[in-house]
C-alpha cells in the first residue's frame, strides 16, 4: 500500500470470511504495514446485530490510529433463506434480516470505527458491496431484498463520505464490488461463472484502492477500479 504512510495500521472487520481472511493475510504480507488487526464473529464475538460488541471492540482499540479499515461483512443467504426470484416470494422477516446484515450492520461499523481513522495522514475505509446493488445496472430483476440492502449500503457509504470530507479530509471511503469469488456465500449462485480465488480478489481490491484519489471518495467501484453506476 504505497499511498499509505510507512508502518500504517490496518483493520479488517469480517476477518473470518473468505475475502476478509485473504485481506488480512495480504495486508500482513505488505512490508509497509505495521500492525494488522482482524475482527470476526467466530473468533472475537463481534456481531452486527449486537451493537454493544462493536462498541466494545472499538473501545478496546481506542488510542490506535488506523490508515486502512475494511468492512468485509455481508450475507446473501440468511437462516437458509436465499434470494427471492420474484416479488411474490417477499417475506417481511427475511427482508428485514437482509437489511440488518447488509446495511444497518455496516452503518453501525462506521459509527463505531470511523473515530479510529487517522486524521492527519491518508486513510482508506473500504466497504464490500455488490454490483447487484446498482439500480442503473439492474437488468435481470429478482433478488429484491439483497439488491435493496446493498443499494441502501451504497447510499450509506456516499453519505458518510460527505461527512468524512469535513472531519477526515485525507480519507477515501468507497463501496467495492469484489466480483464473483470462490466463497461459501457465492457457491450456489455462480451459474457457470469462473470465480476469483479469495487471494486473487483481495490483491486486486488493495491495488485498486491504493490508487484512488480524494475525488473518488464516496464512489461505487469494482475490484478492477471501474466505476459502477448507482
Amino acid at each position: 500500500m504505497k499511498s499509505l504512510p510507512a508502518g500504517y495500521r490496518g483493520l479488517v472487520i469480517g476477518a473470518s470470511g473468505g475475502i476478509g481472511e485473504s485481506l488480512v493475510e495480504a495486508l500482513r504480507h505488505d512490508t509497509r504495514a505495521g500492525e494488522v488487526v482482524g475482527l470476526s464473529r467466530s473468533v472475537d464475538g463481534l456481531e452486527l446485530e449486537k451493537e454493544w460488541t462493536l462498541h466494545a471492540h472499538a473501545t478496546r482499540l481506542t488510542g490506535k490510529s488506523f490508515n486502512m479499515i475494511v468492512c468485509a461483512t455481508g450475507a446473501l443467504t440468511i437462516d437458509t433463506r436465499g434470494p427471492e426470484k420474484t416479488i411474490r416470494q417477499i417475506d417481511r422477516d427475511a427482508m428485514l434480516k437482509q437489511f440488518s446484515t447488509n446495511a444497518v450492520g455496516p452503518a453501525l461499523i462506521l459509527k463505531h470505527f470511523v473515530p479510529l481513522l487517522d486524521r492527519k495522514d491518508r486513510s482508506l475505509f473500504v466497504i464490500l458491496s455488490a454490483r447487484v446493488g446498482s439500480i442503473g445496472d439492474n437488468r435481470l430483476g429478482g433478488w429484491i431484498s439483497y439488491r435493496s440492502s446493498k443499494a441502501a449500503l451504497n447510499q450509506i457509504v456516499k453519505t458518510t463520505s460527505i461527512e468524512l470530507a469535513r472531519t477526515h479530509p485525507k480519507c477515501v471511503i468507497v463501496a467495492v464490488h469484489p466480483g464473483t469469488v470462490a466463497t461459501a456465500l457465492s457457491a450456489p449462485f455462480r451459474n457457470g461463472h469462473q470465480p476469483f480465488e479469495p487471494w486473487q480478489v483481495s490483491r486486486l481490491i488493495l491495488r485498486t484502492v491504493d490508487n484512488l484519489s480524494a475525488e473518488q471518495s464516496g464512489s461505487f467501484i469494482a475490484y478492477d477500479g471501474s466505476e459502477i453506476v448507482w
Side-chain angles (χ1 to χ4, degrees):
M1 301 298 290
K2 296 180 181 179
S3 72
L4 299 181
Y8 71 88
R9 285 194 180 95
L11 170 63
V12 178
I13 301 168
S16 63
I19 299 175
E21 185 177 24
S22 292
L23 284 166
V24 170
E25 183 179 357
L27 289 171
R28 286 177 175 166
H29 278 85
D30 182 1
T31 57
R32 292 178 55 79
E35 181 182 12
V36 178
V37 179
L39 295 175
S40 68
R41 181 176 64 176
S42 60
V43 176
D44 307 287
L46 184 147
E47 298 190 41
L48 299 183
E49 294 190 348
K50 296 180 179 178
E51 186 178 354
W52 68 268
T53 67
L54 304 180
H55 174 73
H57 282 290
T59 300
R60 181 173 60 84
L61 295 171
T62 297
K64 295 185 177 183
S65 183
F66 290 87
N67 297 91
M68 179 80 182
I69 300 181
V70 182
C71 174
T73 64
L76 179 54
T77 298
I78 301 176
D79 296 338
T80 73
R81 297 184 70 104
E84 318 94 345
K85 294 182 180 179
T86 170
I87 192 71
R88 295 188 301 275
Q89 295 177 338
I90 288 289
D91 177 85
R92 178 183 182 277
D93 291 338
M95 191 172 198
L96 287 173
K97 287 182 179 179
Q98 285 286 341
F99 272 80
S100 179
T101 299
N102 294 317
V104 179
L108 293 175
I109 286 173
L110 286 165
K111 171 185 175 180
H112 290 285
F113 289 91
V114 158
L116 300 180
L117 284 171
D118 193 316
R119 285 178 175 264
K120 296 180 180 180
D121 289 317
R122 175 176 165 88
S123 62
L124 299 168
F125 206 124
V126 179
I127 298 187
L128 295 190
S129 185
R131 186 182 292 274
V132 295
S134 166
I135 297 173
D137 191 52
N138 184 356
R139 296 176 177 84
L140 297 176
W143 291 32
I144 297 169
S145 296
Y146 184 71
R147 284 183 184 275
S148 301
S149 69
K150 289 296 187 179
L153 171 61
N154 293 343
Q155 178 69 282
I156 290 165
V157 172
K158 176 63 178 178
T159 303
T160 303
S161 73
I162 297 170
E163 181 176 340
L164 287 180
R166 305 184 189 109
T167 61
H168 297 72
K170 294 185 179 180
C171 176
V172 178
I173 178 172
V174 286
V176 177
H177 165 60
T180 302
V181 187
T183 64
L185 181 148
S186 68
F189 308 102
R190 292 175 195 157
N191 296 323
H193 295 291
Q194 184 63 36
F196 289 111
E197 291 298 324
W199 68 267
Q200 293 174 307
V201 77
S202 65
R203 283 155 178 77
L204 288 170
I205 289 171
L206 293 178
R207 183 187 307 164
T208 290
V209 300
D210 198 22
N211 291 313
L212 292 176
S213 66
E215 291 72 26
Q216 290 173 286
S217 186
S219 60
F220 181 22
I221 61 173
Y223 57 88
D224 60 0
S226 59
E227 187 174 349
I228 303 175
V229 297
W230 295 113

